[in-house]
Amino acid sequence: MKKMFIIIMILAIIFIGMLVYRNILADAKNNISVKEIENIESYISQIYMWKEITTEALPEFDDINKANELWIWEVVKRNLEEYETTKEEIEQKAKEIFGEEFDKKFPKEGNQSFEYDEESGNYLATETNLNEKEDSFLLNNIEKTKEGYKVEIIEYLEDYSDKENVIIENLQSEEIGKTNINQSDTKIQEIVKNNKERFNKKTIYLVENEDRFIVKKVEK
């Protein structure tokens, strides 16, 4: 009987050990490396536009082909290296950023982001006139999912109209804090983190495709 009890105890310890090990593996799997964070932030910076141009720096959508068209083509314009380009290059860059599921065709006559030049038959990127408020975001939370990543961001504005200070505002233009213009971005991020509840937040769903990210959905 005593021998049986010892065997049961050993099996129980092994079973508990297996559970603990699985939990450790799960935790390790959900860890986000510094490199992953940097890559996620870099990609979101590529698609994060300007409130005064596209109404929202990053609009909500559950299908990229139904997203705000002005925002789509402004994202493409921002990520093209050349001022003069072709219809094929514009559409190729759109697929590079938004993935192969993106099937919108760029209008032959051009649009607000690219003007058609009859002489060359190419398209010229239009000028982007921005105000003194810089649209910014802060990564608030990142979770790994089966498909990729679920990323929550905090949206805010950096107002540089004051030559000595940076004024931190929410999207409703409410002043949240202020810091000297010579101080680092860390101070700005500290103000945002300490006042999270006063800022708009969005959740971005990303998937990885050939060592790069593709945005699948954005929601509040």
Side-chain angles (χ1 to χ4, degrees):
M1 188 70 181
K2 187 176 179 181
K3 188 175 181 181
M4 180 66 70
F5 178 75
I6 293 171
I7 293 172
I8 291 171
M9 286 296 294
I10 292 172
L11 290 173
I13 290 169
I14 293 171
F15 178 71
I16 292 169
M18 288 175 64
L19 288 178
V20 171
Y21 178 67
R22 285 181 181 177
N23 285 332
I24 291 171
L25 284 179
D27 288 341
K29 189 177 180 181
N30 288 324
N31 281 341
I32 312 295
S33 70
V34 173
K35 186 64 176 176
E36 285 174 293
I37 293 171
E38 290 175 350
N39 290 341
I40 288 169
E41 188 171 35
S42 176
Y43 176 75
I44 295 176
S45 295
Q46 283 185 287
I47 64 174
Y48 201 80
M49 293 295 100
W50 308 280
K51 184 173 178 283
E52 68 268 37
I53 302 296
T54 57
T55 307
E56 288 186 275
L58 183 63
E60 294 176 79
F61 60 85
D62 56 14
D63 179 346
I64 187 59
N65 293 298
K66 296 178 181 177
N68 180 297
E69 283 210 30
L70 178 57
W71 171 79
I72 286 172
W73 301 119
E74 284 294 315
V75 169
V76 173
K77 181 174 77 174
R78 182 176 183 173
N79 288 280
L80 280 171
E81 295 180 2
E82 300 296 331
Y83 170 77
E84 184 173 339
T85 187
T86 65
K87 184 176 187 293
E88 291 72 24
E89 288 171 340
I90 292 171
E91 292 177 348
Q92 182 181 347
K93 178 59 70 171
K95 282 191 176 291
E96 179 185 313
I97 298 169
F98 300 123
E100 291 301 319
E101 291 181 10
F102 181 79
D103 60 13
K104 277 188 174 294
K105 299 299 180 184
F106 181 76
K108 188 176 180 180
E109 68 276 11
N111 59 17
Q112 190 173 329
S113 303
F114 297 93
E115 293 179 347
Y116 180 66
D117 181 55
E118 292 186 2
E119 186 174 340
S120 65
N122 290 333
Y123 295 85
L124 307 178
T126 58
E127 185 178 357
T128 302
N129 296 310
L130 302 174
N131 59 27
E132 293 176 311
K133 295 184 180 183
E134 184 177 324
D135 297 80
S136 303
F137 68 90
L138 182 68
L139 298 178
N140 190 42
N141 188 51
I142 304 174
E143 295 177 24
K144 280 191 176 179
T145 65
K146 289 182 179 180
E147 294 76 26
Y149 300 86
K150 178 182 177 182
V151 185
E152 183 183 63
I153 63 168
I154 301 172
E155 299 185 289
Y156 64 97
L157 301 172
E158 297 176 15
D159 185 348
Y160 290 90
S161 58
D162 183 336
K163 292 183 179 179
E164 296 183 358
N165 298 292
V166 181
I167 302 167
I168 313 306
E169 299 180 351
N170 58 24
L171 299 191
Q172 291 70 46
S173 296
E174 177 187 5
E175 182 177 328
I176 307 299
K178 184 185 295 186
T179 183
N180 188 279
I181 201 163
N182 295 318
Q183 289 186 303
S184 67
D185 289 342
T186 305
K187 181 61 178 178
I188 294 174
Q189 293 172 359
E190 184 182 323
I191 293 171
V192 175
K193 287 177 182 177
N194 291 337
N195 296 276
K196 288 181 181 181
E197 72 285 350
R198 301 179 67 183
F199 293 96
N200 291 56
K201 298 180 182 67
K202 283 198 176 87
T203 301
I204 305 166
Y205 295 84
L206 303 175
V207 297
E208 283 189 280
N209 183 21
E210 297 179 357
D211 298 324
R212 57 191 175 90
F213 293 112
I214 301 295
V215 60
K216 300 299 290 185
K217 181 169 68 170
V218 179
E219 63 184 17
K220 288 184 180 178

